[in-house]
Amino acid sequence: MSIMGTRVVRVEDPAFLTRGARYTDDLDLVGALHLTLVRSPLAHARIEAIDVGEARSAPGVVGVFTGADVDLEPALLFGGANEKMVRAFLAKDVVRFVGEPVAAVLTEEAYQGQDAADLVEVDYDPLPVVIDLKAAATDEVLLFPEAGTNTSNGFDHEKDLDPNLFDGCEVVVTRELVNQRLAASPLETRAAAAEWGEDGRVTLWCSTQNAQDTRSEVAGWLGIDAEQVRVIAPDVGGGFGAKIGADPEFALVAWLAKQVGLPVRWSETRSENMTGMVQGRAQLQTVAIGGDRDGTVRAYRIDVLQDAGAYPRLGAVLPMFTRMMAPAVYDIERVESRARVLVTNTTSVAAYRGAGRPEATAAIERAMDLFAAEIGMDPAEVRRRNLLRPDQFPLTTKGGAPYDSGEYEKALDKVLDAVGYADLRAEQAARRERGDAVQIGIGVSVFVEITGGGAFKESAAVEVHPDGAVTVLTGTSPHGQGHATAWAMLASEHLDIPVEKITVKHGDTDLIPRGSGTMGSRSLQTGGVAVYQAAGELVEVAKQRAADLLEANVDDLVVEQGAVVVRGTDTAVSLADLAEREKLRVDTRFDSGAPTFPFGAHVAVALVDVESGKAVIDKIVTIDDAGPVLNPLIAEGQRHGGIAQGIAQALLEEVVYDEDGNPVTATFADYGIPSAAELPSFTLLDMATPTHLNPLGVKGIGEAGTIGATPAAQSAVIDALAHLGVRHIDMPLTPLRVWEAIEAARSAGGSRIEGAK
Amino acid sequence: MIPVGFTYERPDTLDAALALLAEHGDDAKVLAGGHSLLPVMKLRLAAPELLIDIGRLDELRYSRVDGDQLAIGAGTRHHDLATSDVVAAEAPLLGAVARTVGDPQVRHRGTLGGSLAHADPASDLPAAVLALGGSIVMRGPRGERQVPVEEFFTGLFSTALEPDELVVEIRVPRTGSAGWAYEKFTRRANDWAIVAVAVVDGRVGMVNMGSTALRASATEAALASGASIPDAAALADQDTDPPSDLAATPAYRRHLARVLTRRALTTAAEAG
Amino acid sequence: MKVEITVNGASTSADVEPRLLLAHYLRDVLGLKATNVGCDTTSCGACTVLLDGESVKSCTLLTAQADGGEVITLEGLSPDGAELHPMAAAFRAEHGLQCGFCTPGMVMAAVGLLSENPKPTEREVREGLEGNLCRCTGYHNIVRAVIAASGQDPDEVQGAAIHRVTDAGGVEAAAGFSSGDSAGGGE
């Protein structure tokens, strides 16, 4: 019986639920020193002097290091960025964001660390600070004078916009939108530990989403061969894109370990994490949408300013994906975009669940709603009239994306039907008529997203052991996605050996030298397929050997319950026995060659107390179609997590800096990450449209929920206020913003709220 | 994350605690529930040299009827208040408000006395006690004294407590049959109130509308002279000085104070 | 200073700094690594354990405050490791964990919740876990797990309206409108 598509509970869980998982900070490292970092309290300043004398003689201190001590070349953290915008491993002359590491203190005990760090005295000479993107674009205050500009890079950013783009459009709406900066906030902060061996190699344990990439990055920063570095990713407590690759701190940990000849370990506090770990989104978008009063959209433009933070990282390339996905699910004649990436005195920006694509979807969905409001048409209907049709697939879009498959209108119809759209509109009308204090709003989003993580090749190895157990080696790097279970299912499908006997290993570069990790929703469509392929190839090898052994025809052989059997007879040899005779292992590599395009539709229902401004999402009905579902339990979990983050962006979260560059939301008490009390339960509908790009027909599910939920939630709240004259509110739609929007619309002549006494 | 080092004493009796406090003065801090003090110490915003742990003094943990008042020991946990039959019968507002403080884990440790002594204008219980009226009983080397709750909160994080005194008991009128309500407006369930309003027996206490918990005196006066609830509630923000922060502007807080007061008074009136 | 604490049924004792947080006593002195530290503002609850039967955040307790007390951590719920405690079993069955970092604290908080409210509604579960943050699951399956562990059917209890309109014109919501909690009464 096929195991594909069944709700297999996770093999990881018994350990996780008894002794707990083993994260980097849990590792036993005998004799390891503890690293505490001294970080800049200023957003932009010259370092005049650092006095470490008192710190050096504090209890338990083994060493104190500053930028002057670190003999590593400052690194360009993203290849496509302006090459002058490099980051030192400990700031040498200038600090450029609050939280930038300035000194490193090594102590014998963890508790001694902050005591010693507090004794380091740094003399700062403050410099002017630039936080605002438009201000950064003027180049008045430069972060890197030697670069002469705050523009790191861009995508057609110097080209002039087409003044005729909207010719012939009866209606044009233009709006500036904020896709706000977010903090990924995995529950496990960053951690790393390093130990050099007598053989001159360093073992680096770290909380990362890709051990192999981390290895090459760290080796490069240390100026040594990748061969000399072994990276091990223990259990990782969430990543969401922010743990893609290596952080400079990882190289620092390794370098320090070399200096002192002892293992060094580091585990940051949450407050450090909220300024030290890369953040997400942070785009200022100008959108313009034009079309006719019958609902046809003829032209769309998105002009992006991307905040890179102080030191450009992966965020510097994300607008490329925003541009690629700009037209989203719509068939629009003319689409134009450009993007400029700017540095500011803030934390670096990189990937966060969706990484460039939520920004594209949120922008065009908002534009669609604004257009619908302008022409007085139902927003679901406007979308319907402009969707790409199934018979148009596969196609290359106006954004340059090769869409593989999609049934957008079907997804829209299903969610509208499931939520009872017509009834909701009727209830909305009734509440407006009565002037209820609590209004409802309905937000619709239809979306498509690009998955594959830009890394379409992946390795896998499957080996059957003489005792009948199986080991799978994968180049993916799960941190909650359940690959140990899912890849075991894929191997089990071919080998017919139960998942309990299949162990999946990942994240150790000595064991698995090649791999691209887990990001961009790539894992199943590359790594999973590779496992499936490897297991299938192993079965072929086994059959050949069995054919010889059993003197049977290969075509008469099948695999049942872990054995190769002559069909319809008792004649068989177990895979374990075959392995006993000769090692039974297949290594394979799969290349899907191209990204896939999952899609879906969300409808969110908001309840908004128009007296107080408080909004909640009461219900959300979703389709996230990523093709056939291998394990519905795990896939649903991915959707849930994405939807929660999507709603949270719309209503709750924002990283805020004041004008001096001080982070204002740098703890979990201040940053709006939701608890269970802020969210409803979610309604998930099933739809599975396969892709032709891999034998399993699967796409990537990890980020779709986030991409669909954010605009649906934002739209729902604004929709609840539409009758009051509110057209737009930037995210997050906090009670303050909602109330101010209502007040502004009221004084601009919106309708009076009846019933509010 | 890790506090600056300190010495620690856990006296067995209240008198022993007071003696330590008298001896060490400003170098010492009292540790009861620790959920206001320890978070601040972990961020190294405070670094007392000595902690005097009174969290285990059972003599401070009780709720009992005493004449026409309800007497509550200062060491009573929020969870105790939230689940106490006596409190539910005699001063249900207090139990309901205690139920909203922080989260369950915090409520298992935080104490009423600690919350009042800390006097954060953004916390719930000072406003509830202010609305209930009554008095705070303090003890020190000079003996025991009672202060009406209206005189207890003197400023931002400041109370009538002398440095060598402890809050030992809170006494509130028994208002079990009077209508009451608590309206707490937050962004997230676990957050500090942006604004909150406690109402009982025609008295209105407000959270986060100034440097201390405040009474909505203008509202109370209007109600007493027969004004309608909406008209009285419209005066709730008079003589307040609401703070400005990421969650709210002063204008928004004033608006919320009026809305929440109206809602709380309406609920209380319908029930009473 | 010397402390003696019963942890997962076993007597433990050590000489510790007064400032040693209970979370670190458990992790570093006793080597019980399941309890995790996820924040420094008492917000996330990953460090939740039971102290004398009540859920507490072990990062906001001094080891000294637990002296003489009884602590139970995740490791103590399923002591022989082979059979899962009913709450842990429910988390597994409902896929209430992904990366696992919040899980030990979440499970302990849920055990504490059911000890005080044996048959909670969905809203009561969500509010009861307001002190525990999870970034992976979106809480949907955690809610199911706790409902299932309480002996109720998640399919029946979950998804029921968690927002109610009150007569005063506010909405009594899990997240709150006019109130994080809106409560009132009298005779």
Side-chain angles (χ1 to χ4, degrees), chain A residues 10 17 23 26 111 115 183-184 187 270-271 352 438 607 614 618 633 637-638 640-641 653 674 676 679-682, chain C residues 19 21 24 27 34 38 40 88 92 95 98-101 122 126 135-137 139-140 158 163 171 174-177:
Chain A
R10 298 197 325 171
L17 289 164
Y23 306 97
D26 296 337
Y111 270 47
D115 295 340
L187 262 289
R270 177 61 59 184
S271 295
Y352 169 61
V438 178
L607 295 177
K614 183 75 180 274
D618 188 48
L633 197 58
Q638 291 303 303
H640 294 156
E653 296 180 30
L679 296 166
S681 290
F682 312 124
Chain C
R19 64 175 174 167
L21 303 174
H24 293 133
R27 289 177 55 78
D40 48 12
R92 184 181 192 207
H95 187 42
Q98 292 181 24
C99 83
F101 198 85
E122 173 173 1
R126 288 180 177 277
R135 200 48 159 167
C136 294
T137 67
Y139 305 104
H140 182 107
Q158 186 184 40
H163 301 284
V171 173
F177 271 155

Side-chain angles (χ1 to χ4, degrees), chain A residues 535-726:
Chain A
E537 289 173 7
L538 186 147
V539 161
E540 291 313 305
V541 168
K543 280 183 179 176
Q544 288 296 337
R545 293 191 199 168
D548 292 340
L549 206 61
L550 303 175
E551 290 173 348
N553 196 316
V554 162
D555 296 331
D556 294 330
L557 297 176
V558 292
V559 170
E560 283 168 13
Q561 296 187 45
V564 184
V565 180
V566 180
R567 194 185 288 112
T569 77
D570 285 337
T571 309
V573 60
S574 71
L575 295 173
D577 281 348
L578 289 173
E580 177 94 55
R581 292 162 180 275
E582 186 189 346
K583 190 175 168 84
L584 186 54
R585 167 176 166 152
V586 166
D587 286 66
T588 199
R589 203 149 163 77
F590 174 70
D591 183 359
S592 70
T596 59
F597 294 84
F599 64 94
H602 288 199
V603 181
V605 181
L607 295 177
V608 183
D609 176 350
V610 296
E611 281 190 317
S612 72
K614 183 75 180 274
V616 296
I617 298 301
D618 188 48
K619 189 173 189 175
I620 185 163
V621 176
T622 65
I623 285 179
D624 300 291
D625 182 335
V629 176
L630 169 61
N631 183 325
L633 197 58
I634 293 179
E636 287 162 12
Q638 291 303 303
R639 291 172 68 181
H640 294 156
I643 292 164
Q645 288 182 337
I647 292 174
Q649 172 168 15
L651 297 191
L652 292 168
E653 296 180 30
E654 184 176 18
V655 173
V656 178
Y657 287 87
D658 70 15
E659 61 194 10
D660 295 322
N662 297 308
V664 173
T665 53
T667 74
F668 268 4
D670 302 302
Y671 183 72
I673 176 175
S675 74
E678 278 66 67
L679 296 166
S681 290
F682 312 124
T683 302
L684 273 51
L685 305 180
D686 293 327
M687 198 165 141
T689 307
T691 179
H692 56 279
L693 284 169
N694 62 70
L696 294 177
V698 297
K699 306 181 186 179
I701 192 62
E703 293 158 290
T706 313
I707 293 169
T710 298
Q714 179 184 24
S715 176
V717 176
I718 296 170
D719 182 69
L721 311 173
H723 65 299
L724 303 173
V726 174

Side-chain angles (χ1 to χ4, degrees), chain C:
Chain C
M1 54 175 296
K2 184 123 188 290
V3 294
E4 285 175 8
I5 308 176
T6 305
V7 180
N8 296 335
S11 308
T12 76
S13 69
D15 200 2
V16 304
E17 278 188 273
R19 64 175 174 167
L20 182 70
L21 303 174
L22 179 61
H24 293 133
Y25 179 74
L26 297 169
R27 289 177 55 78
D28 301 328
V29 175
L30 300 185
L32 294 170
K33 302 287 187 181
T35 304
N36 293 318
V37 175
C39 78
D40 48 12
T41 50
T42 319
S43 308
C44 80
C47 65
T48 303
V49 299
L50 298 182
L51 172 61
D52 299 329
E54 294 182 323
S55 61
V56 296
K57 295 187 173 182
S58 64
C59 74
T60 310
L61 251 90
L62 303 174
T63 307
Q65 291 176 285
D67 184 26
E70 287 191 29
V71 173
I72 303 188
T73 72
L74 181 76
E75 291 97 328
L77 276 197
S78 312
D80 66 3
E83 210 186 301
L84 291 178
H85 181 277
M87 182 62 75
F91 266 70
R92 184 181 192 207
E94 296 294 336
H95 187 42
L97 64 153
Q98 292 181 24
C99 83
F101 198 85
C102 79
T103 304
M106 190 71 74
V107 169
M108 300 315 292
V111 170
L113 167 64
L114 289 192
S115 76
E116 292 176 357
N117 186 354
K119 300 282 184 201
T121 62
E122 173 173 1
R123 174 179 174 173
E124 287 168 345
V125 172
R126 288 180 177 277
E127 288 184 345
L129 294 177
E130 63 184 338
N132 288 74
L133 298 177
C134 171
R135 200 48 159 167
C136 294
T137 67
Y139 305 104
H140 182 107
N141 282 347
I142 291 176
V143 169
R144 290 182 68 83
V146 179
I147 291 171
S150 75
Q152 304 178 93
D153 181 355
D155 287 334
E156 282 185 23
V157 176
Q158 186 184 40
I162 56 170
H163 301 284
R164 299 190 295 276
V165 179
T166 68
D167 289 345
V171 173
E172 203 176 309
F177 271 155
S178 57
S179 51
D181 264 85
S182 173
E187 263 168 28

